[in-house]
Amino acid sequence: MNIMSFLLYCVVVTFTPGPSNIVILATVNQNGFKHALKFISGSSLAFVLLIAASVTVNRELLTRMPVLLAGLRIAGSLFILYLAYKILRMDVSRSAAKQATSFMSGFCMQFLNPKVVLFTVTVIPIYVMPYYTSGFVLSAFVALVSLIGILAYLTWAVFGKLLKTLLQKYQKATNIILASSLVYSAVMVSGIVELAKG
């Protein structure tokens, strides 16, 4: 097993901008670090469950991946667009912003986020299971990947807190940029680009 390749894959996928990370940044900006922890808690729990599920049912999921992926793309794109709308309106409706970034919102988003689902379904089966079959070792890798994911979410929240003054100074522009990033994510997740290329 190439541990460096494994760790690099985990860090790149979890720390790079994605729908969850963008929502965390926007939540810290609008409602503070403490409120963002609710969203992070929901996202983290779902992340851990997805990784654990991939270990136990990976072969079944991989054989059905084309069907699952199509459904995830549609549902995920719609949910991401909903979050983009909520972020765009954050300065108008503070209560709506809090609603969009609840524990349940973070939890559900992970199951609808193809980036997270594909990562969790592939990371352990591809990098670990060909080399290790022990339940203890597999559990240790599930814990390691979960820790990396949770650290990524917390990192985005910390940077959101550090940049809060700057982000609030340019509130409308920040909301537009964050919402646009989510719209871009939704388009990329939807599969429209691949269909257009033919």
Side-chain angles (χ1 to χ4, degrees):
M1 176 183 167
N2 186 336
I3 193 74
M4 286 307 294
S5 175
F6 166 77
L7 291 174
L8 183 62
Y9 179 58
C10 291
V11 169
V12 167
V13 171
T14 58
F15 279 83
T16 54
S20 297
N21 298 337
I22 293 168
V23 171
I24 290 167
L25 184 66
T27 303
V28 170
N29 177 42
Q30 183 66 29
N31 301 311
F33 189 84
K34 191 173 181 180
H35 188 78
L37 287 177
K38 293 177 186 175
F39 185 85
I40 291 169
S41 298
S43 294
S44 298
L45 178 60
F47 189 76
V48 171
L49 291 174
L50 282 166
I51 292 169
S54 79
V55 171
T56 56
V57 295
N58 71 348
R59 286 184 173 80
E60 185 68 24
L61 286 174
L62 291 174
T63 58
R64 298 174 187 237
M65 189 51 71
V67 174
L68 287 174
L69 184 57
L72 282 171
R73 283 182 161 190
I74 293 166
S77 296
L78 293 174
F79 189 71
I80 292 167
L81 287 172
Y82 165 77
L83 290 173
Y85 171 76
K86 290 294 188 180
I87 286 174
L88 189 61
R89 293 185 42 93
M90 272 187 174
D91 58 337
V92 177
S93 174
R94 196 173 182 95
S95 63
K98 286 187 178 183
Q99 231 177 22
T101 56
S102 66
F103 175 88
M104 281 309 294
S105 178
F107 185 81
C108 292
M109 183 173 191
Q110 297 304 66
F111 288 99
L112 297 173
N113 184 347
K115 176 185 173 187
V116 169
V117 171
L118 287 174
F119 171 72
T120 58
V121 166
T122 59
V123 67
I124 301 289
I126 289 172
Y127 282 98
V128 179
M129 292 179 97
Y131 304 100
Y132 303 102
T133 56
S134 160
F136 176 76
V137 173
L138 292 175
S139 297
F141 275 103
V142 167
L144 175 62
V145 174
S146 299
L147 179 64
I148 292 169
I150 292 166
L151 286 174
Y153 296 143
L154 290 172
T155 300
W156 277 83
V158 167
F159 277 109
K161 185 163 179 62
L162 293 174
L163 298 173
K164 186 174 182 172
T165 305
L166 178 68
L167 295 173
Q168 285 182 341
K169 183 177 179 182
Y170 302 102
Q171 176 87 35
K172 193 65 175 171
T174 299
N175 289 358
I176 289 170
I177 291 167
L178 293 174
S180 298
S181 298
L182 284 179
V183 169
Y184 174 78
S185 292
V187 170
M188 298 311 291
V189 161
S190 70
I192 292 173
V193 174
E194 289 92 0
L195 287 174
K197 288 180 181 176

